[in-house]
Amino acid sequence: MDELEALGRLAEVVPAGGDDAAAVDGLVITTDMLHERTDFPPGTTPYTAGWRAVAASLSDVAAMGGEPVAAVAAYGSPSFEWDDVAAFVEGAQAVCSLVGGEYVGGDLDGHEEFTVATTAVGRADTPTPRTGASPGDAVCVTGTLGQSAVALDFFERGEHERANELFRFEPRTYAGIALGETATAMIDSSDGLARSLHQLATASDCGFAIESPLPFDDRIDEVADGPEERRERGLFFGEDFELVCTLPEAAVSEMIDELAVPLTCIGTVTERGVTLDGQELANRGYSH
Amino acid sequence: MDELEALGRLAEVVPAGGDDAAAVDGLVITTDMLHERTDFPPGTTPYTAGWRAVAASLSDVAAMGGEPVAAVAAYGSPSFEWDDVAAFVEGAQAVCSLVGGEYVGGDLDGHEEFTVATTAVGRADTPTPRTGASPGDAVCVTGTLGQSAVALDFFERGEHERANELFRFEPRTYAGIALGETATAMIDSSDGLARSLHQLATASDCGFAIESPLPFDDRIDEVADGPEERRERGLFFGEDFELVCTLPEAAVSEMIDELAVPLTCIGTVTERGVTLDGQELANRGYSH
């Protein structure tokens, strides 16, 4: 059984866990485990690792419309060089400061492979679910798509500074709080736009008609060789942590004006099927 | 730099993280990373692993006098056999039900070594610190010491059923809530009684005069060969998750009557030095 299948079955036995974050008693809680082989390419600095690991959990809180309260990280490593641990913590603290939560520490664990588990806790009186999209709603996405895919290319090319910068994404906390009041459904794009849309469609029992152009990051053109590679990075690669949400049509322009980050309307909710420009959009993406 | 030294330095840069759990905004939050090589001996069932991993975090919430709200776990494993994942979740849910928190799921991560990171969140308006012990206070401990040491011996002997049973300890949640209102300082004994006392002494800038007999688990006699081995298991092995606290002398008998678990007075708070029957008690114990 692969992770995705096991996660699907888990959602049946732990109902609170089937969303970006679990909602319980006015709180939203989410945890993620990341490790060197799949999540931190060679060249990732400890500062970036701390930032990104905590940011991934903060993004889940944002996708529930939650206000972050605190984050913790458990840091597993073969060695505990103080400079690395301190830089990791600085990165974690920096991203928490940026969006208003407090980084309150965690655990250290001797471990063969560098492994980080982060947890973020937020408050949300009425958490935004994945289940409320209905035909006629607009489909919107914050920011741009493909940043992490581009970062991976930069890491491979040895352009480590640009890569690290792209890896330290800003969680869409404020956008999530603002959208959360109006959105009928919301998810973050951590598995890629395509898979995130399919997850929303399944949860809301609806479809999506998505239309080009999509807000792909300009830097994709620096690394992608032709339209197929471009599309792959923008739609399927994932790890971008933008918010994908559905909104009543009437609310779209107001939300575009209200948010400090770009919000792009990319299509509409339909009865069934997930399409891009009329063609079926494959349900594939990042497997953690 | 070893884990303990790095944890000490971490407490300087992340002040909220220097206790059993971090206290922020009416909440207490704690995270732990456990892995196969050091925490789950051969013979540990997935049900026991789920129970114990979550219980370790719930114990930290208890040591702050907190009321558990929710727990999550990130489950890293080379494979995702559904029966194992389901049993792990059942164990996690069972221990949460026992003490009143809700298990709300988590993350799955493909990982070379079986690794679990758990986080528990509780509420505590006035969390019990490690810092408030003062000379004249009584020193008390819940339950018995040495259970996990005995469990390890049982695992090694192939007595897996008894070992698993001992490994599934009950977090001292209710005792922690009751003691939390009266205790001047509290910690859990996860690093062993000796090290936990030294940690409390450092935090409260005091000493402890501890007197035998200590409430060692009776089963230690089944596995320990002579008084030295007995003492080693009861004092230094750790991983027991009992509560060690200091109380005003006048409150002790009332607390003994109030708690559903045994509470033993093992000594008094002094100005400095940690002694057992007048001899210096070494500052060593379990290193995670």
Side-chain angles (χ1 to χ4, degrees):
Chain A
M1 183 174 288
D2 71 6
E3 282 169 59
L4 214 65
E5 194 184 345
L7 278 168
R9 290 196 60 176
L10 261 187
E12 293 164 24
V13 294
V14 190
D19 220 315
D20 288 76
V24 54
D25 203 10
L27 301 174
V28 289
I29 304 172
T30 175
T31 194
D32 297 277
M33 186 181 282
L34 306 177
H35 57 114
E36 189 154 13
R37 187 167 44 84
T38 57
D39 301 293
F40 303 114
T44 310
T45 66
Y47 181 84
T48 296
W51 176 299
R52 186 170 176 84
V54 169
S57 290
L58 291 169
S59 175
D60 285 327
V61 169
M64 304 293 289
E67 189 175 342
V69 174
V72 291
Y75 178 103
S77 177
S79 70
F80 300 101
E81 297 300 327
W82 177 247
D83 288 351
D84 291 348
V85 176
F88 178 93
V89 168
E90 276 168 32
Q93 287 174 324
V95 72
C96 283
S97 299
L98 185 68
V99 299
E102 189 178 346
Y103 181 70
V104 294
D107 191 22
L108 297 179
D109 183 51
H111 212 287
E112 279 171 36
E113 186 182 4
F114 179 58
T115 301
V116 182
T118 53
T119 302
V121 178
R123 292 195 196 277
D125 289 333
T126 51
T128 315
R130 293 182 179 177
T131 50
S134 58
D137 285 350
V139 185
C140 296
V141 61
T142 60
T144 61
L145 301 167
Q147 290 194 31
S148 289
V150 171
L152 255 286
D153 284 301
F154 286 172
F155 275 121
E156 278 170 18
R157 288 177 179 190
E159 295 187 44
H160 290 175
E161 198 172 321
R162 291 180 80 193
N164 275 284
E165 204 175 296
L166 272 172
F167 246 31
R168 293 192 302 270
F169 68 93
E170 180 176 340
R172 298 308 188 195
T173 303
Y174 302 116
I177 294 168
L179 288 166
E181 293 168 15
T182 312
T184 51
M186 191 151 64
I187 189 171
D188 81 358
S189 68
S190 57
D191 293 339
L193 180 66
R195 175 153 288 161
S196 301
L197 287 169
H198 276 278
Q199 287 173 326
L200 266 193
T202 301
S204 288
D205 193 20
C206 69
F208 295 112
I210 306 299
E211 303 288 337
S212 299
L214 296 170
F216 285 178
D217 193 279
D218 288 343
R219 288 162 289 201
I220 287 184
D221 293 324
E222 286 187 51
V223 295
D225 206 4
E228 263 315 300
E229 285 198 3
R230 191 166 181 276
R231 180 182 153 92
E232 194 63 31
R233 283 164 175 76
L235 281 175
F236 300 108
F237 184 87
E239 294 286 283
D240 271 337
F241 306 100
E242 296 295 347
L243 297 178
V244 183
C245 66
T246 55
L247 294 168
E249 276 287 359
V252 172
S253 60
E254 191 188 329
M255 289 309 308
I256 289 174
D257 290 345
E258 187 178 333
L259 298 194
V261 294
L263 183 74
T264 309
C265 183
I266 59 171
T268 54
V269 181
T270 60
E271 293 287 347
R272 57 182 43 79
V274 179
T275 59
L276 173 60
D277 299 329
Q279 305 289 311
E280 192 185 329
L281 181 63
N283 180 10
R284 62 184 176 84
Y286 187 80
S287 258
H288 296 265
Chain B
M1 183 173 286
D2 70 6
E3 280 170 59
L4 215 64
E5 194 183 346
L7 279 169
R9 289 195 64 176
L10 261 187
E12 293 165 22
V13 294
V14 189
D19 222 313
D20 288 75
V24 54
D25 204 8
L27 301 175
V28 289
I29 304 173
T30 176
T31 193
D32 297 277
M33 187 182 281
L34 306 178
H35 56 114
E36 188 153 14
R37 189 167 43 85
T38 57
D39 299 293
F40 302 115
T44 309
T45 66
Y47 181 84
T48 296
W51 176 298
R52 188 170 175 84
V54 169
S57 290
L58 291 170
S59 176
D60 284 328
V61 170
M64 304 294 287
E67 189 175 343
V69 175
V72 291
Y75 179 104
S77 176
S79 70
F80 300 100
E81 298 300 326
W82 177 247
D83 287 351
D84 291 349
V85 176
F88 179 93
V89 168
E90 275 168 34
Q93 286 174 324
V95 70
C96 283
S97 300
L98 186 68
V99 300
E102 191 178 348
Y103 181 71
V104 294
D107 191 22
L108 297 180
D109 183 50
H111 211 286
E112 279 170 36
E113 186 184 3
F114 178 59
T115 301
V116 182
T118 53
T119 302
V121 179
R123 293 195 196 278
D125 290 332
T126 51
T128 314
R130 293 182 179 178
T131 50
S134 58
D137 285 351
V139 186
C140 297
V141 61
T142 59
T144 61
L145 302 166
Q147 290 194 31
S148 289
V150 171
L152 255 287
D153 284 302
F154 286 172
F155 276 120
E156 279 169 17
R157 288 178 178 189
E159 295 186 43
H160 290 174
E161 197 173 321
R162 291 181 79 193
N164 275 285
E165 202 175 300
L166 272 172
F167 247 31
R168 295 192 301 271
F169 69 92
E170 180 176 338
R172 297 309 189 195
T173 303
Y174 302 116
I177 293 168
L179 288 166
E181 293 170 14
T182 312
T184 51
M186 191 152 63
I187 189 172
D188 79 359
S189 68
S190 57
D191 293 340
L193 179 67
R195 177 155 284 159
S196 301
L197 287 169
H198 276 277
Q199 288 172 326
L200 267 192
T202 302
S204 287
D205 193 20
C206 67
F208 295 112
I210 307 299
E211 303 288 337
S212 298
L214 296 171
F216 286 179
D217 193 281
D218 288 341
R219 287 161 291 200
I220 289 185
D221 292 322
E222 286 186 53
V223 294
D225 205 5
E228 262 316 300
E229 285 198 2
R230 192 166 179 275
R231 181 181 152 94
E232 195 61 34
R233 283 166 176 76
L235 281 175
F236 300 108
F237 185 86
E239 293 287 281
D240 271 337
F241 306 100
E242 296 296 345
L243 297 177
V244 182
C245 66
T246 55
L247 293 169
E249 275 287 359
V252 173
S253 60
E254 192 189 328
M255 289 311 306
I256 288 174
D257 290 345
E258 186 178 334
L259 298 194
V261 293
L263 183 74
T264 308
C265 183
I266 60 171
T268 54
V269 181
T270 60
E271 292 289 345
R272 57 183 41 80
V274 179
T275 60
L276 172 60
D277 298 330
Q279 305 288 313
E280 193 187 326
L281 181 63
N283 181 10
R284 62 183 176 81
Y286 187 80
S287 258
H288 297 261

